Amino acid sequence: MTDKAVIATEVRRSQAERTASMRARLIDAAVDCLNRLGYSATTLSTIAEAAGVSRGGMLHQFPSKVDLMLAVVAYASGADERSSQPPALNDDDDKLAYFMSRTDLTWRMLTQAPAMAKLEIMMAARSDQVLAAKLPDMFNSIEQNRRERMWALAQEIGVQDREAIEAMVGLHMAAMRGLAMELLVTGDRAEVERSFALLKRYKETLIGDLLAKAAAGRASA
């Protein structure tokens, strides 16, 4: 590679790094503003100021508020997927433990700032027509990916009822989002955690039943 090619590559890389850094600062600032101010009071100007980015620089990355809000949703949704690839698990008990642990992991992520900002955006879609037009496709894609991942893990532990797993995932996500909102409003973590523990016991019972059903089906085959 010639010296000019090396320089050009380094310039492109540094530009990409600067762009990624700016986008990350803007998303972090948007999360902070959404949690402190709410959706309506979170403007592009307040986000740019919080991020230490010029308005022009911000508009170059995110031409509209909705564009930035969708980026926040994507970031927040990725937070509970960064550990989605299971470690090398060979023992059936380890696979089951990992499958059950996903509920705790998701709950922890849902009570952190990015996920709380995502809830704020989801609620805002009721009154922001542009957001309402764009958010559902992204949200549905995220949730479908979540169901696919959980179904793949369920198969690893021997579950054969896909419909039950997908219904469980839908119920758990809706319930945990509701509990996260209750925690935000009441601040009563002890009460919320008791409700979450009940949700986990439901999952344990359901998975036990599904595994017994699958075992019975194999025995009678």
Side-chain angles (χ1 to χ4, degrees):
M1 183 180 291
T2 66
D3 290 344
K4 288 183 178 180
V6 170
I7 292 172
T9 300
E10 290 177 348
V11 168
R12 286 195 297 272
R13 183 182 298 117
S14 63
Q15 287 174 340
E17 289 170 349
R18 286 196 297 272
T19 295
S21 176
M22 179 180 291
R23 288 177 67 89
R25 292 208 313 275
L26 288 166
I27 290 172
D28 286 343
V31 168
D32 177 64
C33 289
L34 285 163
N35 282 304
R36 285 190 299 108
L37 307 173
Y39 185 85
S40 296
T42 295
T43 66
L44 290 179
S45 296
T46 59
I47 295 170
E49 182 178 355
V53 173
S54 70
R55 183 176 173 83
M58 181 183 63
L59 292 176
H60 181 69
Q61 300 298 326
F62 301 105
S64 72
K65 178 179 177 178
V66 168
D67 290 326
L68 180 49
M69 295 300 102
L70 293 176
V72 170
V73 170
Y75 172 75
S77 299
D80 64 315
E81 295 167 13
R82 300 189 211 291
S83 302
S84 62
Q85 292 301 318
L89 300 172
N90 298 316
D91 184 271
D92 288 343
D93 290 338
D94 287 344
K95 291 178 181 178
L96 178 59
Y98 180 79
F99 179 84
M100 301 304 292
S101 74
R102 298 298 301 173
T103 306
D104 286 304
L105 175 61
T106 302
W107 173 239
R108 288 198 302 271
M109 294 301 179
L110 280 175
T111 57
Q112 294 180 6
M116 299 305 287
K118 177 181 173 180
L119 285 176
E120 185 75 26
I121 294 168
M122 290 171 64
M123 293 298 294
R126 296 173 64 239
S127 56
D128 186 322
Q129 293 183 351
V130 178
L131 181 62
K134 294 185 176 182
L135 181 59
D137 285 345
M138 172 180 281
F139 179 82
N140 291 335
S141 176
I142 290 167
E143 292 307 299
Q144 181 59 35
N145 288 338
R146 189 192 310 278
R147 288 190 292 270
E148 292 291 344
R149 289 196 308 275
M150 290 304 294
W151 170 235
L153 291 174
Q155 289 177 288
E156 285 289 318
I157 63 173
V159 173
Q160 298 176 353
D161 190 336
R162 178 168 186 157
E163 183 176 339
I165 292 298
E166 292 191 347
M168 181 199 75
V169 173
L171 174 62
H172 274 217
M173 292 308 301
M176 285 191 282
R177 289 191 187 103
L179 290 173
M181 291 181 68
E182 182 176 337
L183 180 61
L184 179 65
V185 172
T186 67
D188 190 345
R189 179 169 287 277
E191 180 61 30
V192 168
E193 290 291 347
R194 280 193 290 271
S195 298
F196 175 64
L198 184 61
L199 186 67
K200 288 176 62 178
R201 285 201 295 274
Y202 156 75
K203 178 179 179 179
E204 291 168 0
T205 300
L206 174 67
I207 295 304
D209 290 346
L210 292 176
L211 289 173
K213 177 183 175 181
R218 289 192 295 271
S220 62

